[in-house]
Amino acid sequence: MKQLFLEAGKVRNTHALRGEVKFECYLDGERPLKGIRRLYLSPKGDKFFEIRSVRVQGDVLLVQFDGIDTVEQAVPLKGKTLYASREELDPDGKLVFFADLIGLPLVEEGTDTVYGTIRQVSSRGGGELFTVLLPDGREMYFPVVKEWIVAMDAEKGVFVHAPVGIFD
């Protein structure tokens, strides 16, 4: 089942005195948080914060939430991961998110060789990596490189053209 709330990012710190937070956004695109009105404190969508404003500062977003108007009110958000509603992120239901790929096979396009199962997606500075559980029980990282990924299907798996020797 698809997750209804997906990780949007993490609050790194507070900013200035009026309650803004420095937000490390995990979403891509030209305008992160575009179209998103709320961020949630849990992947269950329990408590949420209405977004008042968003602006870019270096590698973070400065986010102001309704009802958080002082640095003291913003401090409890430090270090918290915040979630966005799938419905707001993808109103048409056409996007495939990394979270949708967990548990699916990593498959060589053309030969249908299954290399393993995707266990996790992580970001390691230079880009994203799939952690793949191989049939022999070992784990390996497979870089999410545009030239190697043929298709990502939320029901069938991730189809790739793996470089020669990567699974040896």
Side-chain angles (χ1 to χ4, degrees), residues 3 5 13 15 22 29 32 34 37 42 50-51 60 63 71-72 90 97 106 110 113 119 143 147 151 156 168:
Q3 295 177 9
F5 297 90
N13 207 341
H15 176 74
K22 293 180 180 181
K34 179 185 176 189
R37 299 179 326 245
S42 84
E50 295 276 347
I51 297 173
V60 296
V63 180
V71 69
E72 292 81 13
D90 182 26
F97 296 96
L106 186 74
T113 301
R119 290 192 41 156
E147 293 78 21
K156 297 179 183 176
D168 293 341

Side-chain angles (χ1 to χ4, degrees), residues 77-138:
L77 292 176
K78 283 175 63 172
K80 300 279 188 205
T81 298
L82 300 179
Y83 300 82
S85 160
R86 178 184 288 271
E87 188 175 294
E88 281 190 308
L89 290 170
D90 182 26
D92 300 327
K94 296 180 180 177
L95 297 177
V96 174
F97 296 96
F98 284 145
D100 301 334
L101 304 176
I102 306 301
L104 295 178
L106 186 74
V107 182
E108 179 67 34
E109 175 70 19
T111 67
D112 291 333
T113 301
V114 176
Y115 292 119
T117 303
I118 298 170
R119 290 192 41 156
Q120 180 178 327
V121 183
S122 56
S123 185
R124 300 284 173 115
E128 285 77 26
L129 296 170
F130 291 136
T131 301
V132 180
L133 178 63
L134 303 176
D136 66 6
R138 293 180 298 135

Side-chain angles (χ1 to χ4, degrees), residues 30-42:
E30 292 179 17
R31 294 185 57 205
L33 301 184
K34 179 185 176 189
I36 298 179
R37 299 179 326 245
R38 297 176 175 165
L39 289 175
Y40 299 81
L41 265 177
S42 84

